[in-house]
Amino acid sequence: MDKSEILARAKKYIADEKDERFRKEVEDLVAKEDIKELEDRFYQTLEFGTGGLRGVMGGGTNRMNTLEINLATQGLANYVLKAFPEKAKDGTLSAVVAYDSRKNSDVFAEATALILAANGIKAYLFTGLRPTPELSFAIRELKAQTGVVVTASHNPPQYNGYKAYWDNGAQVIEPHDAGIIKEVNAVKEVKTISKEEALKSGKLVLIDKEIDEKYWAMCKAQLFRPDLIKDKAGSVKIVYTPLHGTGAMHVEKVLGDLGLKVITVPSQREPDGAFPTVEKPNPEEAPALKLAVELGSKEKADCVMATDPDADRFGTAFPDKDGNFVLVSGNQMGALLCEYVLLSRKELGTMPSNPAAIRSIVTSPFTDYICKKYGVKMHECLTGFKWIAAVEDEFEKDGSENYVFGLEESYGYKVEKEVMDKDGVSAAAMCAEMTLYWASKGKSILEHLADMWKEYGYFEDRAISQNFPGSAGKEVMAGIMTKLRSEGLKTLGGKKVLEIRDIGTSVSYDPANPSVKKPIDLPKSNVLQFVLEGGTIVSARPSGTEPKIKFYINARTEVGGAKCDGCLASAKADSAKVCDAITADIQNVLKNA
């Protein structure tokens, strides 16, 4: 992009942006002729990716700001009006809007609600910050046609985002995401009204406790053993951190109602979009749980829990026999929760007919082995919880199967049907009950996890990611995927590649015989998977919302059964060697990009 085009885009943005803060940023850059920074801000327009809009806040088309929010919302409104013509005609369209603790989230959320209201769509706006799963719940509860949550989930503080939802309570997918973008690109005028006018007309309705109370009741209703909790709740101590986000009100309320002792990390309890105590408010990463683990050790807690800013992700740590806290990965907690849900349903006689679970393609197949034991069919889907919701939605529509559990490796779990997104609040409640259950059997969570490895095999999972920021980075990532597709990989970590699954072209093939291709029944996505001898799977996937490419390693090693002393340690060592060798090969791929 040449200098004149960059400046032309910048000047158009200055003319269109009504928010003085964001407009002045660009005016200053134009005055200084900072072409490098302007190019980064204008080389593209934010598009709906795996999580909707997401980006660094600031002035520019490649930034999160009021103008981009306004255009996105007007486009969403135009699409909804066309998608539900009868409701548009009789004036019964509605939407729900929520937001998290990030900077500008409340401003962006109110702007969204007022634009929807100006377009004749009744907007239910939460009076304060709320978790993403409650937004999904509210859409279904209020029978709304769409919804928006303003959040950037676990990203660093300079980010914000905008997730659009459909009438089933799930994030938009094809064809709606493409349809919304088409409408956004065609927007000529953004309609809006004042808050006072919207409230007076009834097109803006403020909501809070009437949804909160139903959401809390729903989370508690998922639990299997209320009597166990009533009898033993006092024996378990939980340390919790909301990481300056939305989770404290809900997690403290739900677990407190169950009689559980919850100690919230004081310095991380209050909402704060600067996230002053962490570099990134991401429960997937050990540094984010540092303060919670320290408090857990001091309090001799039985469990440390964490939710990210919008409380859809859920992280944990548990003490070992020496009292040292061990972080449990997303894949491990997913397996623990999946097994607990299935064994509970079997023990209590509540397993539905044709039970089914759902996981993303980059999630460990650990749960596949668990589901096989309990006679539950496991479905694979694309990465992102909206795809798990899409598969579940098909179950609801045709009645062919009954959903019992969903998970993704990035610390996302869903134990309920009432929410069509991952839910850190209900996961926290189920995890607390699971901890009590295994304690009643004389086992800690870590001891039970070791028993699971002995039964199902040891699973080691690693994720390797590398950032490629800016317009050049996008080309580098595309080049890596193109090279992997054209050249393939015959071996990884010294192990033979038996199958390559190209989700982007919906085919799989043996690299030794690439002309013979088999179809893959998944929507197309820019993902490559390499199935190695021994069952290890390596996946390559550029992020849809961040400038990075990720590689996932899911390695499985047979252990030898519960009676084999030393076998688990041996399996762990063997898995580590395999993962180390594969990691070295991936690093070479990235180094030569």
Side-chain angles (χ1 to χ4, degrees):
M1 186 185 300
D2 61 29
K3 179 179 175 180
S4 61
E5 185 177 354
I6 294 168
L7 290 172
R9 291 189 181 192
K11 289 174 182 177
K12 183 179 187 308
Y13 173 83
I14 290 168
D16 294 340
E17 177 62 86
K18 307 303 181 189
D19 191 306
E20 184 179 350
R21 297 169 303 157
F22 297 124
R23 184 175 66 243
K24 190 174 186 307
E25 285 182 17
V26 178
E27 286 174 339
D28 291 345
L29 291 169
V30 170
K32 292 186 293 185
E33 290 200 1
D34 188 343
I35 301 302
K36 183 178 180 182
E37 177 64 18
L38 286 168
E39 180 180 17
D40 187 53
R41 289 176 181 239
F42 289 98
Y43 80 87
Q44 66 174 6
T45 297
L46 289 179
E47 295 181 358
F48 278 81
T50 57
L53 286 171
R54 189 179 300 181
V56 174
M57 286 178 278
T61 59
N62 189 33
R63 293 288 187 271
M64 284 295 299
N65 49 59
T66 311
L67 178 60
E68 294 305 316
I69 290 289
N70 291 353
L71 292 170
T73 306
Q74 185 62 56
L76 173 64
N78 290 345
Y79 185 79
V80 170
L81 288 164
K82 292 176 180 178
F84 300 96
E86 293 302 317
K87 286 187 172 293
K89 186 177 180 180
D90 62 22
T92 58
L93 285 171
S94 64
V96 185
V97 181
Y99 60 94
D100 72 359
S101 60
R102 288 179 179 271
K103 293 179 180 180
N104 297 308
S105 284
D106 56 344
V107 175
F108 293 161
E110 184 173 299
T112 297
L114 294 178
I115 291 168
L116 291 168
N119 281 274
I121 301 169
K122 180 186 284 189
Y124 294 97
L125 174 65
F126 280 100
T127 59
L129 49 85
R130 291 297 190 279
T132 289
E134 188 177 8
L135 180 278
S136 174
F137 175 81
I139 290 170
R140 290 166 74 88
E141 181 67 25
L142 295 168
K143 296 180 171 54
Q145 283 66 57
T146 188
V148 171
V149 60
V150 179
T151 178
S153 190
H154 57 291
N155 285 89
Q158 64 268 33
Y159 282 79
N160 212 329
Y162 177 106
K163 294 182 184 178
Y165 286 71
W166 209 237
D167 63 345
N168 62 351
Q171 290 182 56
V172 294
I173 59 169
E174 299 171 351
H176 305 308
D177 52 358
I180 293 166
I181 285 294
K182 184 178 179 180
E183 292 291 342
V184 170
N185 292 336
V187 169
K188 301 297 182 186
E189 177 188 1
V190 175
K191 298 178 183 178
T192 189
I193 55 175
S194 70
K195 186 174 182 179
E196 292 73 18
E197 185 181 352
L199 286 168
K200 186 177 179 180
S201 69
K203 287 300 181 184
L204 177 63
V205 178
L206 302 180
I207 55 174
D208 45 42
K209 65 179 182 180
E210 65 271 29
I211 300 298
D212 295 334
E213 290 170 356
K214 290 180 180 180
Y215 175 71
W216 297 333
M218 180 277 298
C219 288
K220 290 180 283 189
Q222 306 307 315
L223 300 175
F224 296 102
R225 297 179 173 83
D227 291 340
L228 174 66
I229 295 175
K230 185 178 179 181
D231 293 341
K232 302 290 185 180
S235 65
V236 168
K237 187 185 292 185
I238 295 167
V239 166
Y240 165 69
T241 174
L243 296 175
H244 303 289
T246 61
M249 179 175 79
H250 287 359
V251 173
E252 289 174 354
K253 172 64 178 174
V254 171
L255 298 191
D257 283 355
L258 296 172
L260 293 158
K261 185 175 182 181
V262 180
I263 304 167
T264 304
V265 177
S267 62
Q268 296 178 327
R269 185 179 185 277
E270 297 305 316
D272 188 338
F275 308 114
T277 64
V278 289
E279 184 177 342
K280 286 194 289 184
N282 186 356
E284 299 178 54
E285 300 180 7
L289 273 70
K290 182 176 182 291
L291 294 179
V293 166
E294 288 175 356
L295 184 57
S297 297
K298 180 182 176 182
E299 294 286 347
K300 293 182 169 51
D302 299 280
C303 176
V304 163
M305 297 181 176
T307 52
D308 66 341
D310 64 325
D312 59 354
R313 281 175 168 81
F314 174 68
T316 56
F318 296 88
D320 64 15
K321 57 183 175 56
D322 298 318
N324 299 313
F325 276 83
V326 178
L327 299 180
V328 173
S329 74
N331 280 315
Q332 291 166 356
M333 179 50 63
L336 284 160
L337 287 173
C338 181
E339 190 206 43
Y340 180 68
V341 168
L342 300 189
L343 76 84
S344 295
R345 285 189 173 278
K346 183 177 180 181
E347 285 182 3
L348 300 173
T350 60
M351 186 74 80
S353 59
N354 301 317
I358 312 165
R359 68 168 175 84
S360 70
I361 55 175
V362 298
T363 297
S364 169
F366 195 171
T367 46
D368 297 18
Y369 292 81
I370 296 166
C371 285
K372 184 177 180 181
K373 174 183 175 179
Y374 288 94
V376 174
K377 185 176 181 180
M378 175 60 82
H379 291 260
E380 276 190 306
C381 66
L382 297 183
T383 306
F385 229 86
K386 64 181 182 179
W387 296 108
I388 291 175
V391 176
E392 182 187 353
D393 197 41
E394 289 301 314
F395 297 167
E396 288 189 359
K397 287 176 179 176
D398 62 25
S400 59
E401 295 174 81
N402 287 295
Y403 175 90
V404 289
F405 189 69
L407 75 154
E408 63 180 7
E409 50 76 37
S410 55
Y411 291 57
Y413 323 101
K414 191 170 87 71
V415 300
E416 71 264 37
K417 291 184 178 181
E418 292 84 351
V419 169
M420 294 292 272
D421 208 337
K422 52 186 175 287
D423 188 346
V425 180
S426 63
M430 190 64 75
C431 179
E433 183 183 89
M434 177 178 68
T435 303
L436 276 169
Y437 176 82
W438 289 113
S440 74
K441 303 291 185 183
K443 291 182 179 180
S444 71
I445 289 295
L446 295 181
E447 287 170 338
H448 178 62
L449 180 59
D451 289 344
M452 290 172 66
W453 283 329
K454 291 173 184 176
E455 179 176 359
Y456 301 112
Y458 176 70
F459 293 82
E460 180 159 338
D461 309 293
R462 294 191 192 178
I464 302 159
S465 65
Q466 185 162 321
N467 287 320
F468 294 95
S471 57
K474 203 171 184 180
E475 293 176 7
V476 172
M477 290 192 293
I480 291 171
M481 296 301 288
T482 298
K483 186 175 182 181
L484 287 174
R485 281 193 169 90
S486 61
E487 297 180 7
L489 290 172
K490 299 293 178 64
T491 63
L492 265 172
K495 289 189 173 290
K496 185 179 179 182
V497 176
L498 300 180
E499 180 186 6
I500 296 176
R501 303 178 77 207
D502 188 345
I503 314 302
T505 56
S506 298
V507 298
S508 69
Y509 58 91
D510 181 346
N513 190 13
S515 61
V516 180
K517 292 181 170 60
K518 300 176 184 177
I520 296 173
D521 186 20
L522 284 170
K524 291 182 179 180
S525 181
N526 192 16
V527 180
L528 284 169
Q529 290 191 304
F530 304 92
V531 181
L532 314 184
E533 56 185 338
T536 293
I537 301 171
V538 179
S539 306
R541 171 182 169 264
S543 172
T545 56
E546 300 171 79
K548 67 182 179 183
I549 189 167
K550 293 184 75 172
F551 288 82
Y552 305 80
I553 304 172
N554 302 123
R556 179 181 180 271
T557 305
E558 288 284 355
V559 174
K563 296 181 179 180
C564 180
D565 294 334
C567 284
L568 181 54
S570 177
K572 287 183 177 182
D574 289 345
S575 291
K577 289 178 183 177
V578 170
C579 289
D580 287 345
I582 293 171
T583 299
D585 282 353
I586 291 171
Q587 295 292 5
N588 283 333
V589 170
L590 294 172
K591 183 179 178 181
N592 296 322

